[in-house]
Amino acid sequence: MIYLDHSATTRPLPEAVEAVHRALTERWGNPSSLHRMGLEAERLLAEARSALAAAMGVDPEEVVFTSGATEANNLALWGIARGRREAHVVVSAVEHSSVLEVAHRMRQEGVRVDVVPVDREGFVRPDVLQQLVGPGTNLVSVMLVNNEVGTVQPLGEVVRILNEVEARSGRRPLLHVDAVQGFLKVEVRPRTQRFDLVSLSGHKVGGPKGIGALYVRRGVRLVPLLGGGDQEQGLRPGTENVPGAAGFGAAVRAQLGTWRRDAERMRTLRDLLRELLSGLPGVIWNTPDRDIAPHILNFAVPGVRGEVLVHRLEQEGVVVSTGSACHSRKARPSHVLLAMGRTEQEAMSSIRVSLGPQTSEEEIRAAVEAIHRAVRDLRMQPVRR
């Protein structure tokens, strides 16, 4: 099998598997307990927290473990909005549904919410954002790397706009960044980049599922989603997922010295993939050719439904996706592609290929041959009405 769906999930690294196993079999105490077993479990949490903090250049105390990136995104948005009167939140039109659906519910509950559009390449439009934010804005949420098309958002421009608001009014809106698809692929340094909140996911970087994290800059006040305990500084009550955190931390630690080299290698393979697929008649590139993450390529094949192509490729031993795994079972066009100005037909004809650090050139070349073969065969089939 050639697995090219790493944006959906990744194979757990051996270091992560070992860490999870060790936490389950040797250090399975409750980290809140005062006895030795509790202290050992607490030490595992601390080690994992330190690994994530080291990868971002922040203090371990600024890392809050969650059940995943969806919870981290919910905590960031609700945590800010519920703590303020007449809150104003701004999100981009291509955010993950765990941001967009929260924003929608916020609007239903009376929070003022604005959505920033993107251009045809999927980049947030700073000119519109500049008109929407002001001293009354509490939070702006823009993802680092789009999970469907791989655009790296112009967060430097976003920060510049927020700084201008601060210069005019003395009050700077907070910036939340969903960095799930960018972590260990592009730089994530919240302090120097001036991110206030950053969401991460374990299983996107070789860790286990069911674990994520939210970076919370010291001084940012969040209202927790749940009540009932003091764990994670009171922001995420409930007994911590120690095996998950240990696996997440081990996966990050294993890649601290290698991820930049791996990213460069994936970038080379992605460019090769694009070059070899350019011969597909009528291909429409949804991934632009600038400012993109190294591991994602999204394109449409007119006349072939993406879902059908995905299943056909699986028969050939190649695993890709139609887009976000969170909505892959719903037969509706991608909100990201529609926001980029694609037609519904173009959106429904799109697939996403996403690479991982272990992807080889031989796999890319074999996948391209399979895609050419599948498209040719599917286009020859009569259209069902």
Side-chain angles (χ1 to χ4, degrees):
M1 180 184 73
I2 300 174
Y3 185 77
L4 296 174
D5 196 18
H6 289 84
S7 289
T9 195
T10 56
R11 179 197 294 269
L13 294 174
E15 293 87 346
V17 174
E18 182 181 350
V20 171
H21 182 263
R22 188 180 179 201
L24 285 170
T25 58
E26 299 177 18
R27 299 189 180 183
W28 43 268
N30 187 325
S32 296
S33 298
L34 298 179
H35 49 65
R36 182 181 59 81
M37 291 180 65
L39 296 177
E40 288 179 345
E42 184 183 27
R43 193 172 302 124
L44 282 185
L45 269 184
E47 292 171 358
R49 207 182 307 278
S50 294
L52 270 66
M56 294 188 285
V58 302
D59 291 336
E61 294 74 19
E62 295 174 304
V63 176
V64 176
F65 284 115
T66 64
S67 65
T70 292
E71 183 186 344
N73 285 341
N74 272 259
L75 178 57
L77 269 71
W78 282 120
I80 293 297
R82 283 179 175 162
R84 278 79 177 174
R85 287 185 176 181
E86 300 180 351
H88 178 218
V89 173
V90 180
V91 303
S92 90
V94 294
E95 295 298 300
H96 188 269
S97 58
S98 58
V99 168
L100 282 180
E101 289 184 15
V102 169
H104 177 66
R105 292 182 187 180
M106 283 180 165
R107 185 177 283 161
Q108 291 176 326
E109 295 190 12
V111 175
R112 187 159 65 94
V113 175
D114 284 305
V115 179
V116 187
V118 298
D119 61 22
R120 286 192 61 82
E121 292 186 308
F123 297 107
V124 166
R125 290 181 53 188
D127 57 321
V128 178
L129 177 66
Q130 194 152 23
Q131 297 171 12
L132 293 174
V133 298
T137 303
N138 300 99
L139 182 71
V140 173
S141 183
V142 178
M143 64 198 337
L144 176 57
V145 171
N146 183 264
N147 56 311
E148 294 194 32
V149 298
T151 47
V152 178
Q153 294 297 341
L155 289 170
E157 275 294 288
V158 174
V159 168
R160 180 187 63 77
I161 291 169
L162 301 185
N163 290 344
E164 287 179 357
V165 173
E166 183 180 29
R168 290 197 307 269
S169 66
R171 186 174 180 281
R172 183 179 184 274
L174 298 173
L175 175 59
H176 167 244
V177 175
D178 177 346
V180 167
Q181 292 293 340
F183 187 48
L184 301 184
K185 306 289 190 311
V186 300
E187 293 290 345
V188 180
R189 310 294 286 186
R191 284 187 179 164
T192 55
Q193 293 169 313
R194 295 208 69 184
F195 303 161
D196 301 292
L197 299 153
V198 177
S199 298
L200 305 175
S201 172
H203 74 102
K204 306 291 188 181
V205 293
K209 298 174 181 63
I211 187 71
L214 180 67
Y215 159 75
V216 183
R217 179 179 58 76
R218 183 173 284 111
V220 173
R221 183 170 58 88
L222 288 179
V223 175
L225 302 178
L226 305 172
D230 296 328
Q231 292 91 346
E232 299 299 298
Q233 305 172 57
L235 290 174
R236 211 282 178 171
T239 304
E240 297 93 336
N241 177 2
V242 177
F248 191 2
V252 172
R253 200 177 302 116
Q255 298 173 83
L256 278 177
T258 61
W259 73 262
R260 291 179 180 83
R261 184 184 64 215
D262 290 338
E264 193 53 42
R265 185 170 160 278
M266 285 188 285
R267 191 182 309 280
T268 300
L269 290 178
R270 184 212 54 210
D271 291 345
L272 174 65
L273 175 66
R274 185 164 185 148
E275 177 188 342
L276 295 176
L277 288 175
S278 61
L280 275 177
V283 63
I284 298 172
W285 301 112
N286 295 320
T287 298
D289 57 8
R290 64 179 180 92
D291 298 331
I292 50 178
H295 61 304
I296 297 176
L297 185 66
N298 190 313
F299 58 95
V301 183
V304 177
R305 284 179 65 90
E307 180 183 353
V308 175
L309 181 55
V310 166
H311 289 307
R312 172 56 194 271
L313 288 173
E314 187 175 7
Q315 293 174 0
E316 300 248 4
V318 179
V319 178
V320 299
S321 71
T322 54
S324 172
C326 296
H327 294 298
S328 62
R329 297 183 187 279
K330 295 182 179 179
R332 65 187 187 196
S334 154
H335 72 279
V336 172
L337 298 178
L338 294 181
M340 292 169 60
R342 303 294 185 270
T343 65
E344 286 196 11
Q345 190 172 19
E346 289 170 343
M348 295 295 284
S349 300
S350 296
I351 65 170
R352 177 188 68 186
V353 181
S354 51
L355 287 58
Q358 299 83 24
T359 303
S360 69
E361 180 177 338
E362 290 72 24
E363 288 179 316
I364 292 295
R365 291 186 180 279
V368 168
E369 288 182 11
I371 292 171
H372 277 286
R373 193 162 50 243
V375 169
R376 184 177 60 245
D377 292 349
L378 290 171
R379 279 178 167 165
M380 291 177 64
Q381 292 180 2
V383 178
R384 293 182 179 177
R385 299 184 183 280

